[in-house]
Amino acid sequence: MKLSLSTLILALGAGAGVPALAQTCPPTTITPYVNVNGKWLQKDSVTLKTGQSAILGPRPASGGSWSWSGCGTTGTSREQTIQPAAACTATATYTNDCGAKSQQLFTIKVGTWASVKFGGGGYVTGLIFHPTTANLLYARTDIGGAYRWNQASSSWMPLTDGLGFGGAEGSYHGIESIAVDPNNDKLVYMAAGMYNSDKADARLYISSDRGNHWSYVNLPFSTGGNNGGRAIGERMMVDPNKPSRLFYGSRTAGLWKSTNSGRTWAQVTSLSTAKMTQEQINAVGGSAMGVELVVYDTSTKGAGTATQTIYTAIAPDYANVAGLSANLYKSTNGGASWTAVSTPVSGYHIPHMVRAADGMFYVVFTKDAGPGAGGPGRLYKFDGANWTLLKSVDPTEWTNPGLGGLSVSGKGATTRIALGVSNTWGNFSGQQIVQLSDDAGLNWREIEAMTPGETASGWVDDVEIDPSNRDHILHVHGGGVIETRDASSATPTWHGTIEGIEETATLAIVTPPAGAPYKFINSAGDVGTWVHTDLAKTPTLSPGLGWSNGNAADMAWSDPLYIAAGGVVNSSGAGTGYWSGDGGKTWASFATLAPGAATNTSSESSIAVTARNQAVWAPANSVPSYTTNNGASWVATDLPALPGVGWNRGYRLVTDRKNPNKVYAYDSGGAWWASAGKVYVSNDGGHSFALSQGSVSAGLAANGWWVTSMAVNPKVEGDLWLADGNALYHSVDSGASWSKLSTFASVCGSNPWPDLQGATVVALGKRKAGATYAAAVYVVGTVNGVWGVYRSDDGGATWARHNDDDHQFGGIGVMAADQSVYGRIYVSGTGRGLLYSN
């Protein structure tokens, strides 16, 4: 028998991606279906909550036979019920009546993630509208990545949680500039890197789907997404006429150009070849401003030839280093050569320069770089030859206003100008926050101060008029974004538009026992200490210290209404300690502070509560002390003083939840080059401690505070877990001896410290039903070279990844596990607030 080629070709069903067997009759197309929560969906992938089940039910529903593999499937039933503990792939093979086989893959992800609601909480540094696509708006932040506005849900969608923003990539949550392509609304560029230096350590992220997915290239210079002047710009711009060409104004290395859509970059040496050294960067306070912005002088797009007339602004620091004579330069040949532009103000920053539809430029000059740039400040219009002053602000005896954000709409005599007045604080008659002109700057009126709704003064460093709705004006501030949609009204109404933006920086988190009236205590930078009772609502329970850092907190396990906490009031720099006896409803300050707490106010501190009114407090760089009278007095423990290592360090304290007479203290060494880590054990409520020789024998690595952790199993006395930055250790005898688990290991490169830390955070929470070990164990670390959050339900014998590549959040600094809900952990992403898993 001779077979034709077509009868030998491998046949697969739609959506398949795995080989099938040769067959002699046509295969049957499989249609994938998944049933979740009682509803059938035609899809081949689904994300399940931890512990949730689903039914896989591909079709055809009759005839032929089925076989299965993966995700716990078995047997020949068409419908398969699965309840996977981790992400998996199931393969359904269908054999039709004539023997032809076809296959269908089902991709199953496990666990969902959501933000804990706080609302803003951090500085949004820039807003970038697409010029022609309505409601397409991006926001960049200094430490929390980037967002895109979702008009359908009236909320912001995070864009920097997934691949490219993992455990060793938190620095790239500092976004310095975003550029859109006026010709292609799906294309967006994002320059990332938190701090400037003389190294080439920044990245350019490129997306062809509005930021849903990113690729990146390394930039040949640094960026400073969290440096001073971070609202200046935009530094990066796409040429609207030849969009493969981009210019970038760097902080330390001059002006740069790409001719291949950002893939490679070359310095524009026709302007300057200067690159600042680290010494020169340090000499200007560590935050270089450099080349501040790029503006194209064109009203066209998509012409195919590069825009010829370009302006770029030069900060005083780079002008001095590069020997440039002006703060503004112009090219009329696409950047091949540059000439200085005489400006009416010299030696100032030019944070924003915008072009109106008629070709008129509007230019802000301000003395300081910001955030909240101080003055004097000036706004001019510029027709290419002549300058006209439109607005001035000057220091007074008690105030120092500057000019910040700038946006224009329209043209000619009716040009609308929205101007941010920065470094003014408060809301009172005569205050200036956002000034509006509807006659090209001849007359001005205040449209935010003393109007209905909210106000946000101070850091008004970027203002934008919606290009599709001139009555929609937004501006950034230190806590997010605020907007009005009736700017033409005599009394516009402003309100925060921060839904979805979560930028608080949590420094410590602790969860109470099951049954407590709250979910956790959040100790955060800038916003202080908060007790969260509802994950979907902004918390309301706080000591009310205003601009402050919460550094540490704990509760009495047998009486979780009692909470003790410590931190610092940022306005004065004074350390503070406080307590609540009713679960955070009311608070009082400790009568006295533990020795060291008043001045050693950095976040490397810890508090362990043993009972109501009794606690052990370890301020940063200090010997811990204990109180037995709710802070009326403190007594030093006998723990050793911590030698200096060049940066802050401290003891980590945890109370044994089954026997609060036992308190454990962990000294991580303070730095990777310092002495080995050690554990100390107290059997008298934290009054006196003894060194665990077992911890010495275990050879704990020396590491910094921020990459180490210790946690107790709340269900078993003496059951301790420790992450020393490189590995995970377990003790079942109150720290007398330690076992090293081989699962976690650091990934090392050319540096003396690891590129990826092996194990940095450990937390224990409610155990899985039927599990043999009393708690679920969660570890932030690296397994087989893959960073993530890993979970064990059997005391560390086996591990499954708890997060996935889409949920990395720029790394995870702190973590706590819920004692009431299995599979739920609370984590801090880099500048991403708090997030939780289900």
Side-chain angles (χ1 to χ4, degrees), residues 45-240:
S45 64
V46 68
T47 298
L48 303 177
K49 295 181 180 180
T50 302
Q52 187 179 20
S53 62
I55 303 172
L56 309 181
R59 299 178 183 178
S62 61
S65 62
W66 294 89
S67 61
W68 290 85
S69 64
C71 293
T73 57
T74 184
T76 59
S77 297
R78 180 178 65 89
E79 293 187 359
Q80 297 278 322
T81 299
I82 62 172
Q83 190 179 17
C88 60
T89 300
T91 303
T93 302
Y94 178 71
T95 306
N96 64 18
D97 290 336
C98 65
K101 295 180 183 293
S102 49
Q103 292 184 326
Q104 174 67 49
L105 302 184
F106 290 87
T107 302
I108 311 299
K109 295 182 178 181
V110 177
T112 59
W113 291 85
S115 287
V116 175
K117 180 69 176 290
F118 191 92
Y123 185 29
V124 174
T125 54
L127 299 167
I128 302 91
F129 274 103
H130 191 274
T132 58
T133 300
N135 303 313
L136 181 51
L137 170 64
Y138 299 90
R140 57 180 171 91
T141 74
D142 50 4
I143 64 169
Y147 294 81
R148 186 182 72 236
W149 179 250
N150 185 328
Q151 180 68 12
S153 63
S154 295
S155 64
W156 295 93
M157 185 179 78
L159 302 178
T160 49
D161 285 350
L163 284 171
F165 304 95
E169 298 167 307
S171 172
Y172 304 113
H173 264 198
I175 311 302
E176 182 170 82
S177 191
I178 290 177
V180 296
D181 185 341
N183 304 275
N184 179 357
D185 68 5
K186 290 182 168 53
L187 187 58
V188 59
Y189 301 88
M190 181 175 69
M194 212 166 276
Y195 298 106
N196 63 197
S197 70
D198 61 355
K199 305 291 192 299
D201 55 6
R203 286 179 180 175
L204 178 69
Y205 289 85
I206 305 169
S207 174
S208 59
D209 58 7
R210 299 182 177 178
N212 291 332
H213 304 87
W214 300 95
S215 60
Y216 69 83
V217 298
N218 295 318
L219 287 171
F221 47 82
S222 67
T223 57
N226 196 34
N227 278 114
R230 48 196 180 273
I232 286 173
E234 290 298 310
R235 294 175 177 272
M236 175 171 54
M237 294 295 289
V238 176
D239 187 334

Side-chain angles (χ1 to χ4, degrees), residues 535-725:
L535 302 179
K537 295 180 179 179
T538 299
T540 59
L541 304 181
S542 170
L545 300 179
W547 181 37
S548 61
N549 289 1
N551 289 336
D554 196 19
M555 80 291 295
W557 201 252
S558 61
D559 181 10
L561 295 181
Y562 179 80
I563 300 168
V568 55
V569 177
N570 291 325
S571 57
S572 65
T576 182
Y578 33 93
W579 64 277
S580 173
D582 53 13
K585 295 178 181 178
T586 60
W587 296 82
S589 296
F590 287 130
T592 63
L593 299 180
T599 55
N600 290 317
T601 58
S602 66
S603 61
E604 294 82 0
S605 65
S606 183
I607 289 179
V609 174
T610 56
R612 181 174 281 260
N613 301 331
Q614 301 182 38
V616 190
W617 188 357
N621 308 306
S622 303
V623 172
S625 299
Y626 66 89
T627 182
T628 58
N629 53 17
N630 204 27
S633 62
W634 297 85
V635 180
T637 69
D638 57 357
L639 284 164
L642 297 172
V645 293
W647 51 50
N648 294 313
R649 59 185 299 191
Y651 282 100
R652 290 190 180 273
L653 303 173
V654 293
T655 300
D656 193 304
R657 301 307 196 185
K658 295 297 287 185
N659 181 359
N661 286 323
K662 291 183 178 179
V663 179
Y664 309 99
Y666 171 36
D667 166 21
S668 68
W672 59 265
W673 64 81
S675 57
K678 302 179 184 67
V679 175
Y680 299 82
V681 181
S682 171
N683 290 297
D684 57 6
H687 300 184
S688 61
F689 287 81
L691 174 65
S692 161
Q693 292 298 332
S695 70
V696 177
S697 301
L700 302 179
N703 260 316
W705 164 278
W706 57 94
V707 294
T708 59
S709 174
M710 182 170 60
V712 296
N713 182 346
K715 300 296 185 181
V716 179
E717 180 179 343
D719 193 348
L720 277 165
W721 295 78
L722 185 149
D724 74 349

Side-chain angles (χ1 to χ4, degrees), residues 361-383:
F361 287 95
Y362 295 83
V363 187
V364 169
F365 297 86
T366 200
K367 182 67 173 176
D368 297 336
R378 301 287 185 266
L379 172 66
Y380 284 84
K381 67 178 181 181
F382 176 56
D383 63 6

Side-chain angles (χ1 to χ4, degrees), residues 329-526:
Y329 279 78
K330 177 181 180 180
S331 174
T332 57
N333 51 16
S337 62
W338 298 82
T339 58
V341 177
S342 178
T343 56
V345 177
S346 61
Y348 279 28
H349 296 280
I350 303 176
H352 299 286
M353 177 177 178
V354 296
R355 184 185 187 277
D358 57 3
M360 183 69 72
F361 287 95
Y362 295 83
V363 187
V364 169
F365 297 86
T366 200
K367 182 67 173 176
D368 297 336
R378 301 287 185 266
L379 172 66
Y380 284 84
K381 67 178 181 181
F382 176 56
D383 63 6
N386 304 295
W387 295 88
T388 304
L389 179 65
L390 302 179
K391 179 75 173 176
S392 296
V393 293
D394 291 286
T396 68
E397 182 180 4
W398 303 108
T399 65
N400 182 27
L403 294 181
L406 171 69
S407 187
V408 302
S409 176
K411 61 183 179 180
T414 59
T415 300
R416 167 166 282 188
I417 309 170
L419 177 65
V421 182
S422 55
N423 204 40
T424 62
W425 302 90
N427 183 30
F428 49 85
S429 180
Q431 170 71 301
Q432 296 185 61
I433 302 174
V434 175
Q435 293 274 294
L436 188 72
S437 173
D438 281 321
D439 54 11
L442 292 178
N443 297 283
W444 297 88
R445 66 186 178 95
E446 173 60 32
I447 62 169
E448 183 172 342
M450 300 303 291
T451 59
E454 303 174 39
T455 62
S457 59
W459 291 8
V460 193
D461 299 314
D462 185 35
V463 176
E464 297 295 334
I465 302 174
D466 187 335
S468 64
N469 177 7
R470 68 196 302 264
D471 278 338
H472 182 205
I473 299 178
L474 311 88
H475 72 78
V476 305
H477 60 94
V481 182
I482 191 170
E483 68 176 3
T484 180
R485 292 183 177 270
D486 59 352
S488 295
S489 167
T491 55
T493 300
W494 292 78
H495 61 87
T497 175
I498 55 175
E499 186 69 30
I501 293 179
E502 297 293 344
E503 206 191 346
T504 54
T506 291
L507 305 175
I509 182 171
V510 60
T511 53
Y518 56 91
K519 304 293 186 183
F520 56 81
I521 308 167
N522 174 13
S523 301
D526 289 338

